[in-house]
């Protein structure tokens, strides 16, 4: 039956879907599609079943997969996204039972309020879900290096990985992961103090050249050696959060400015070793990479690139002239209240820095509004 329905036209599938929704669970109604009479829910072809389960939550999808063998096979073979964040207890056992069935998963969200996952659950995922591209294991405090090693061998197609708050992982396990998961584009290591070190960042720079977004918030073992390795090895980096990385200096920012020409978001909160040199290097990188005047200027490319978000809160060594130069260079950096993308909290000496909105009228500003200085 499923084989006969695989070539159904989209129009017929939509019609049958709407008809079936009106019939509901009443067996007195009959829906016909390409010679098939659907009188009971168990008769639903795979395409139509997947259309239906797309409307319900993940808990219901799991329950539906246990209705009968046909539903189980259809859902297990067709489901590519699953979130178990709603599971407040016994998540580990649930993953152990589901992973061998849902082998086609591409996105799996296992975010937890309280740590439940253990290494054997992640190993089950790695052994069965080889197509996995997006995995969220945030706040999995119980996981050890065994999990990262299993993912390295079983999930080489990972593009997005969130292990923020996984404090037990080591830098050697993270480095090992990057040797196999070379397609990573988005990596969240926020709070992974033991894993995010210069040693691990050197491995990321060496192995993950496609990386676009990296969160290193509050990874206090990160230093210039690691960030510079990222800058040289990951030229397509778009977003980098270094908030709380107290050991980095201007050398890190200068390397990013010179090598990561697509950088649009940079977090430097509480990086108090950052000085004006870093700000001027970011501004000069914009000038260096400006297209030649004779080239046809397409507004989209040049105007859309460049810093759009910068957090320099608590960077108390910075002076107004350097930050103003940066603000003037990147029009997308705003200090005005309605588009706050240049954050300078705690830098009282930078209150005179302003964006272009301070002198140019904005359509959303009222007539009586006054430009707000940076906070």
């Amino acid at each position: 039956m499923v084989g006969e329905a695989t070539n159904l036209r989209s129009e017929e599938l939509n019609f049958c879907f709407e008809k079936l929704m009106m019939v509901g669970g009443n067996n007195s109604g009959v829906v016909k599609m390409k010679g098939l009479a659907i009188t009971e829910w168990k008769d639903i072809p795979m395409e139509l079943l997947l259309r239906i389960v797309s409307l319900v939550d993940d808990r219901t999808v799991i329950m539906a997969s246990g209705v009968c063998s046909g539903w189980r096979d259809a859902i297990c073979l067709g489901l590519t996204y699953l979130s178990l964040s709603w599971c407040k207890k016994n998540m580990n056992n649930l993953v152990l039972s589901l992973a061998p069935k849902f082998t086609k998963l591409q996105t799996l969200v296992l975010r937890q309020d309280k740590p439940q996952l253990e290494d054997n659950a992640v190993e089950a995922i790695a052994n069965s879900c080889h197509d996995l591209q997006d995995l969220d294991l945030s706040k999995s405090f119980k996981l050890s290096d065994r999990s990262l090693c299993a993912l390295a061998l079983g999930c080489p197609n990972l593009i997005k990985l969130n292990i923020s708050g996984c404090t037990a992982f080591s830098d050697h396990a993270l480095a090992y992961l990057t040797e196999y998961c070379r397609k990573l584009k988005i990596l969240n290591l926020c709070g992974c103090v033991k894993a995010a070190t210069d040693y691990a960042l050197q491995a990321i720079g060496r192995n993950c050249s496609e990386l676009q977004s990296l969160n290193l918030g509050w990874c206090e073992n990160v230093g210039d050696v690691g960030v510079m390795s990222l800058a040289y090895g990951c030229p397509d980096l778009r977003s980098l959060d270094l908030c709380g990385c107290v050991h980095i200096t201007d050398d890190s920012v200068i390397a990013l400015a010179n090598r990561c020409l697509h950088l649009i978001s940079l977090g430097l909160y509480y990086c108090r070793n950052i000085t004006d040199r870093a700000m001027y290097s970011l501004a000069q990188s914009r000038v260096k990479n400006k297209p030649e005047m004779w080239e046809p200027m397409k507004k989209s490319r040049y105007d859309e690139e460049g810093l759009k978000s910068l957090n320099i809160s608590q960077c108390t060594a910075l002076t107004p002239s350097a930050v103003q130069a940066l603000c003037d260079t990147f029009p997308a950096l705003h200090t005005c209240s309605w588009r706050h993308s240049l954050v300078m909290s705690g830098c009282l000496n930078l209150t005179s820095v302003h964006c272009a909105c301070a002198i140019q009228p904005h359509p959303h500003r009222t007539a009586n509004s006054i430009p707000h200085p940076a906070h």
Side-chain angles (χ1 to χ4, degrees):
M1 178 179 63
V2 172
E4 295 176 2
T6 53
N7 295 321
L8 291 172
R9 292 182 306 168
S10 177
E11 297 84 356
E12 187 175 4
L13 186 62
N14 289 334
F15 169 77
C16 292
F17 175 76
E18 295 172 2
K19 182 72 174 176
L20 193 59
M21 290 297 96
M22 290 187 288
V23 171
N26 187 347
N27 290 342
S28 62
V30 177
V31 178
K32 293 183 178 180
M33 52 191 307
K34 207 171 180 96
L36 298 175
I38 303 175
T39 59
E40 299 181 13
W41 286 100
K42 66 181 181 63
D43 297 329
I44 300 173
M46 181 175 66
E47 293 91 338
L48 198 52
L49 176 60
L50 293 176
R51 180 75 64 88
I52 294 170
V53 298
S54 69
L55 300 176
V56 299
D57 58 35
D58 293 290
R59 190 195 306 249
T60 306
V61 171
I62 294 172
M63 293 175 61
S65 68
V67 169
C68 63
S69 59
W71 280 35
R72 180 197 63 207
D73 294 341
I75 293 175
C76 291
L77 290 175
L79 196 68
T80 60
Y81 174 94
L82 182 66
S83 173
L84 299 181
S85 293
W86 49 267
C87 186
K88 303 304 179 184
K89 59 181 180 179
N90 298 323
M91 180 188 286
N92 201 73
N93 290 335
L94 185 58
V95 172
L96 286 172
S97 65
L98 294 180
K101 302 175 184 177
F102 294 165
T103 58
K104 299 301 182 181
L105 284 178
Q106 296 180 12
T107 299
L108 180 58
V109 180
L110 300 175
R111 189 181 304 113
Q112 306 152 78
D113 293 327
K114 295 181 180 180
Q116 303 178 60
L117 281 185
E118 298 177 10
D119 290 322
N120 59 347
V122 178
E123 288 171 337
I125 294 168
N127 290 334
S128 302
C129 306
H130 302 303
D131 294 334
L132 204 60
Q133 298 179 16
D134 183 349
L135 178 61
D136 188 341
L137 296 174
S138 53
K139 297 184 180 180
S140 298
F141 304 124
K142 293 183 178 181
L143 299 183
S144 73
D145 287 350
R146 279 175 53 193
S147 291
L148 288 188
C149 293
L151 291 173
L153 299 177
C155 302
N157 296 313
L158 278 177
I159 295 175
K160 182 178 180 180
L161 178 63
N162 185 348
I163 54 173
S164 60
C166 297
T167 53
F169 293 150
S170 73
D171 54 352
H172 284 271
L174 181 58
Y176 182 77
L177 175 80
T178 66
E179 292 180 10
Y180 293 87
C181 299
R182 293 173 176 256
K183 299 178 182 179
L184 280 171
K185 291 185 178 181
I186 302 174
L187 181 59
N188 191 337
L189 302 175
C190 183
C192 298
V193 180
K194 290 173 59 180
T197 66
D198 286 346
Y199 175 80
L201 295 187
Q202 286 176 302
I204 293 173
R206 185 169 58 250
N207 298 320
C208 303
S209 59
E210 299 180 31
L211 195 68
Q212 295 182 2
S213 176
L214 178 61
N215 189 333
L216 294 171
W218 307 106
C219 295
E220 54 192 35
N221 291 323
V222 169
D224 288 332
V225 172
V227 178
M228 292 172 70
S229 298
L230 285 174
Y232 281 86
C234 308
D236 202 28
L237 202 60
R238 312 291 177 90
S239 176
L240 179 61
D241 192 338
L242 295 170
C243 294
C245 298
V246 295
H247 297 300
I248 67 166
T249 70
D250 293 335
D251 291 341
S252 289
V253 179
I254 292 171
L256 291 168
N258 291 333
R259 304 292 298 188
C260 300
L261 306 183
H262 303 293
L263 195 66
I264 61 175
S265 178
L266 180 61
L268 297 172
Y269 173 74
Y270 218 81
C271 298
R272 294 191 169 182
N273 293 321
I274 301 298
T275 73
D276 289 352
R277 283 181 61 223
M279 299 298 101
Y280 283 122
S281 69
L282 288 169
Q284 289 169 2
S285 70
R286 175 74 164 180
V287 176
K288 288 179 189 176
N289 295 288
K290 186 175 181 179
E292 297 295 333
M293 295 301 296
W294 54 268
E295 292 182 2
M297 287 295 292
K298 289 184 178 179
K299 181 180 178 181
S300 58
R301 188 74 186 181
Y302 181 66
D303 289 349
E304 289 181 2
E305 290 187 347
L307 278 177
K308 296 181 179 179
S309 176
L310 177 65
N311 188 340
I312 50 175
S313 298
Q314 300 296 333
C315 295
T316 52
L318 299 177
T319 65
S321 58
V323 179
Q324 186 65 62
L326 187 65
C327 198
D328 293 341
T329 305
F330 295 101
L333 292 179
H334 294 276
T335 59
C336 51
S337 58
W338 55 85
R339 293 188 295 182
H340 211 66
S341 56
L342 177 58
V343 185
M344 300 180 288
S345 302
C347 299
L348 299 179
N349 58 327
L350 299 181
T351 54
S352 62
V353 175
H354 58 77
C355 60
C357 296
I359 56 177
Q360 296 177 1
H362 190 274
H364 299 296
R365 189 197 304 183
T366 61
N368 297 324
S369 63
I370 300 175
H372 292 269
H375 289 78

